Amino acid sequence: MGNDISVTLISDPAYSKHDTGGGEHPEIPERLQVIADALQESPLQPFLKSMSPRPATRSQLLVFHTEGWLFRFEEAVLKGKTYIDHPDNQVGYESYDIATLSAGAGLVGVDKVEADSGTVVFGLNRPPGHHAEPNMPFGFCFFNNCVIAARYWQEQYHRKRICILDFDAHHGNGIQTAFEEDPDAAYISIHEHPSFSYPGTGWPEENGLGAGKGTLLNLPLLPGAGDEQVRETFAAIVSFLERFQPEALIVGAGFDAHVDDDMSGLAFSTDIYLELGMFVAELAHTFTQGRLLSLLEGGYNIEKLGSCAALFLQGIVRYRQEHNPGL
Ligand SMILES: [Zn+2]
């Protein structure tokens, strides 16, 4: 491994203060710790760097969310509520500020990719984002981190055509809401079939509306689907991107499709995440001149989450080593 390889983790100790109640809730602070520990014990250890996020500003949140939701969220935590709308969306007193800092991991990540496309950038952030809708939280998500990063990338760096690829076990309904009428923003999701899984969206025929027709690629998998079915999606993703021609790629990296993760009926192996890492690196190499940012979404099996995330990042590094003789 050459000296030019680096993996930049964007994280903050404050992420552990988003309090989901300490009971049965699966979205717990330990999720970030097990990933950090696995990376320290992985071959990537000598190449790890860290960066702090900055909070997303109100105007950066408002590119997708409504004023009403921002006020309602802030008011709920200040009043000491323990959840918003549904017990899935547990909050503590500091959750609003921490959610703005989680969205900010994507902003700092975009800046880092633009400044140094050689480094592999990963947001080790929580709460996750892909279920968050403009005016409400959903499925442990409060602000849609991937969408906020995508809009920042378009506005700040004029990368007009953006694609989000999401391999979390659940469909990112909030990302679909953001992009479905937008001809310049694409969303690809590999997830458990909506007949069997939360949140019930992500049918293959949902492929965009109006001017956004053709910019969604929903690839639902049946319960029990594993590595072979994941690999079978790769050709469709490549031909979709050949048509769409993105300038930047954001990965919604969720690890709850693992066979041992109770949050889905999918049966991905630990090792498939190495292949997914190599695949997204290849997509970035082919289509976006290497512009690639990954942000953590789900993944709840504390025994397996660390290895899955570490292998995903190793996959990106391995692809780049094999295709950049200078490294
Ligand atoms: Zn999920």
Side-chain angles (χ1 to χ4, degrees):
M1 213 176 261
N3 287 330
D4 293 321
I5 289 282
S6 67
V7 175
T8 303
L9 304 176
I10 303 169
S11 202
D12 195 292
Y15 289 150
S16 67
K17 294 184 190 155
H18 168 56
D19 182 1
T20 50
E24 299 287 295
H25 202 288
E27 206 286 280
I28 51 175
E30 287 77 2
R31 298 176 60 238
L32 303 190
Q33 192 58 51
V34 294
I35 295 174
D37 291 348
L39 285 164
Q40 286 297 331
E41 286 157 23
S42 79
L44 296 179
Q45 188 277 332
F47 311 101
L48 297 176
K49 294 182 177 174
S50 57
M51 278 183 85
S52 297
R54 60 173 185 270
T57 63
R58 244 182 142 72
S59 65
Q60 286 162 341
L61 298 170
L62 290 171
V63 296
F64 178 59
H65 295 287
T66 61
E67 281 276 8
W69 165 230
L70 268 57
F71 283 124
R72 195 159 69 88
F73 185 6
E74 206 164 13
E75 188 183 29
V77 302
L78 293 175
K79 279 185 172 166
K81 292 202 170 171
T82 56
Y83 67 85
I84 306 175
D85 295 352
H86 186 283
D88 274 356
N89 312 312
Q90 291 280 333
V91 288
Y93 189 71
E94 295 178 85
S95 293
Y96 181 90
D97 290 339
I98 298 164
T100 65
L101 203 56
S102 188
L107 308 176
V108 169
V110 168
D111 291 341
K112 185 64 183 167
V113 171
E114 287 288 341
D116 176 9
S117 65
T119 192
V120 176
V121 184
F122 183 63
L124 189 53
N125 57 315
R126 66 183 285 276
H130 71 159
H131 295 305
E133 290 282 352
N135 57 355
M136 62 177 180
F138 214 59
F140 322 157
C141 300
F142 300 87
F143 292 138
N144 206 309
N145 306 323
C146 281
V147 169
I148 290 161
R151 295 308 188 202
Y152 176 74
W153 217 333
Q154 290 175 312
E155 280 162 30
Q156 191 70 20
Y157 295 98
H158 310 293
R159 307 295 181 197
K160 193 178 166 206
R161 295 179 72 76
I162 298 272
C163 178
I164 296 174
L165 168 59
D166 178 352
F167 57 74
D168 186 280
H170 304 100
H171 181 245
N173 55 287
I175 301 175
Q176 180 160 306
T177 298
F179 287 1
E180 65 188 345
E181 294 182 60
D182 184 345
D184 294 323
Y187 179 50
I188 302 168
S189 178
I190 301 170
H191 51 268
E192 189 172 17
H193 196 284
S195 292
F196 304 92
S197 181
Y198 185 90
T201 53
W203 294 75
E205 52 270 36
E206 294 168 14
N207 63 1
L209 300 171
K213 200 87 189 156
T215 62
L216 302 180
L217 180 63
N218 280 307
L219 298 162
L221 304 179
L222 293 173
D227 299 359
E228 207 178 305
Q229 287 74 28
V230 174
R231 291 184 198 111
E232 282 169 7
T233 67
F234 289 178
I237 293 171
V238 170
S239 52
F240 176 86
L241 291 178
E242 278 167 356
R243 287 193 306 276
F244 182 73
Q245 294 291 324
E247 294 163 71
L249 180 64
I250 297 173
V251 175
F255 301 93
D256 44 7
H258 189 277
V259 63
D260 294 338
D261 196 308
D262 294 338
M263 296 290 281
S264 84
L266 296 176
F268 293 13
S269 72
T270 305
D271 288 341
I272 195 67
Y273 292 102
L274 180 87
E275 285 180 57
L276 279 163
M278 293 183 72
F279 179 61
V280 300
E282 182 182 2
L283 295 176
H285 179 80
T286 308
F287 296 105
T288 66
Q289 297 175 288
R291 285 186 287 269
L292 170 67
L293 167 67
S294 303
L295 300 174
L296 182 63
E297 290 287 353
Y300 305 98
N301 183 309
I302 292 299
E303 311 292 316
K304 300 291 164 65
L305 173 60
S307 338
C308 293
L311 279 171
F312 169 65
L313 294 173
Q314 279 174 253
I316 299 176
V317 168
R318 182 181 294 182
Y319 179 88
R320 289 191 175 180
Q321 284 175 315
E322 289 172 1
H323 294 82
N324 294 284
L327 294 181

